[in-house]
Amino acid sequence: MISASSYKKGLALLLPWAAVVAIWTLVHYSGLVKPTLVPTPAQVTVRFWQLLSNGSLPLDMLISSRRVLTGVALGTLLAVPTGFLLGWYKSVHFFADPLVNFFRALPPIALIPLVVVYFGIGETAKVVVLFYAAFFSGVIVMYEGISQISPIYIRVARTLGATDGEIFRRVIVPLSLPHILTAVRVELGVVWATLVASELIAAQNGLGALIQNASAFFQLDVIYLGIICIGLIALAMDLTLRKIARRFLNWQERISS
Amino acid sequence: MTAPNRIVFDHVSVSFRTESGTLPVVDDVSFTVKDREFVSLVGPSGCGKTTMLNILAGFVLPTSGSVTLDGAPIAGPSPDRGVIFQEYGVFPWLTVEANIEFGLRLRANLKSVTERTNVCDRYLKLMGLSEFRKAYPRTLSGGMRQRLALARAYAVAPQFLLMDEPFGALDAQTRTAMQDLLLEVLQKEGKTVVMITHSVEEAIYLSSRVVVVSARPSRVRCIVEIPFPYPRTESLHEKPEFLQLRSRIRDLVMLEYAAQEQQTRDAAPH
């Protein structure tokens, strides 16, 4: 019974992916586009094994993941306290909100020339771009979340005798956790999307560099492979975060499953 | 013979500053609450009654006049005054058990693990929540959340209970059951209670005195003694004296509603 239902569930999970691969294959053979412009899934798979066995693909994945995680970690570290200040103090919000929205609207790729001038072309420059993307997307989520915290819980805690410190530890922190996790999820999405741009900065390795180098040599299968890898790692990270959220936030009324 | 005054409102006025000037919400209110009394405030909605309760809770200071608790002015919120909010405010991230124990983990009323468990067990039982001790509030019904809020307030052993329309959000059956439970709990562990309600019937059924409050700004229209002895049971609702008292207070309250409507009409832009 259980195995049958989990089998069905597995099938339902695989179905959309199978459909994408099927459409992709169809497009290749349909004659609508030149077959040389769309590699087959098989060609990409062959390329995948090749780059996997010579060790370059795992290294690229590792380096890109590290950059993304560093950017997200630094971004979150700053976005959480900033979001608190914005969400908590109306005056801070009044002054800082236009600024936050101004900087948030700038595409990180437009900042790359400046980043190169101020931070060079090394690892720092790439992380700075990712940090920028992470911070401004995270701060909005944190701010929105914190300003939605109902003051009733704080009032209740006060009537029970809680001090300011106790209210922070026992009320604000648990109520903020879901927003921090959402912020990290949003940041991960934005930062993976920014990765290729950040690796425009003279990157020798990483998935973005892989894609750009491949484009210089017109290796379409490698480009496809790089894109798929980025998508899959981003998906895996998101699923992991959701698992963590379910584990620690099972008190919430509604959890995206 | 008479019990001492525990709460004294002495010519209390409160006005809030708004963009269009000062808005008086409480005007020259005086009344007292004796030990173990149950006093209800009834009257039209508006912020006046809640403001009076917020003064007692320690969230608002009177603009003029004074409110004293056992002769001393109120300095701020304190665990000796349990507050039941209309929206309950049960902590959704804590289990039923942890909600009840919340106050006992604070420095203000820190208790050992055994004491915490004892207190928790007692109120779980009293409020009929024992089966749900490990449940999160999202799984509870409105009446159960209300009971949980009451248990959490009771756990820190307050001397006063301040309730702002505690049963307003409940359906009629649950409301009746909660009223009886409250009377039963108060019979076992007496408190000095101030409650805001819109229901005249509820006010009479629960209270030893009912304060009829006017439309904004809130003034005391009259104070009605409720002569029925405790413990009270639901059959009280059918007694002729109860019905008489109800229509008398209802008339007074309806006058205030009419006054409020007139105010609203006058204030409406032409």
Side-chain angles (χ1 to χ4, degrees), chain A residues 152-163 165-166 169-172 174-175 250-254, chain B residues 54 59 77-79 81 83 85 87-93 102 105-109 136 138 152 156:
Chain A
I152 177 93
Y153 302 120
I154 294 158
R155 286 166 85 95
V156 168
R158 273 206 205 292
T159 64
L160 292 168
T163 60
E166 284 170 328
R169 271 201 320 282
R170 295 180 182 274
V171 178
I172 313 258
L175 279 175
N250 57 347
W251 55 267
Q252 279 191 307
E253 309 265 347
R254 177 178 59 83
Chain B
N54 277 337
F59 291 125
S78 144
R81 276 161 278 141
V83 183
F85 296 90
E87 58 273 60
Y88 317 144
V90 294
F91 301 131
W93 65 95
F102 183 90
R105 291 169 192 270
L106 302 173
R107 237 171 301 149
N109 9 253
Y136 283 96
R138 75 185 144 91
R152 183 181 56 186
V156 296

Side-chain angles (χ1 to χ4, degrees), chain B residues 234-259:
Chain B
E234 271 172 58
S235 58
L236 183 65
H237 283 106
E238 274 99 59
K239 280 198 174 169
E241 297 95 318
F242 184 95
L243 297 172
Q244 254 171 8
L245 209 51
R246 190 184 70 180
S247 64
R248 198 183 126 209
I249 297 176
R250 193 169 277 172
D251 286 347
L252 287 165
V253 172
M254 286 319 286
L255 275 177
E256 293 309 326
Y257 270 95

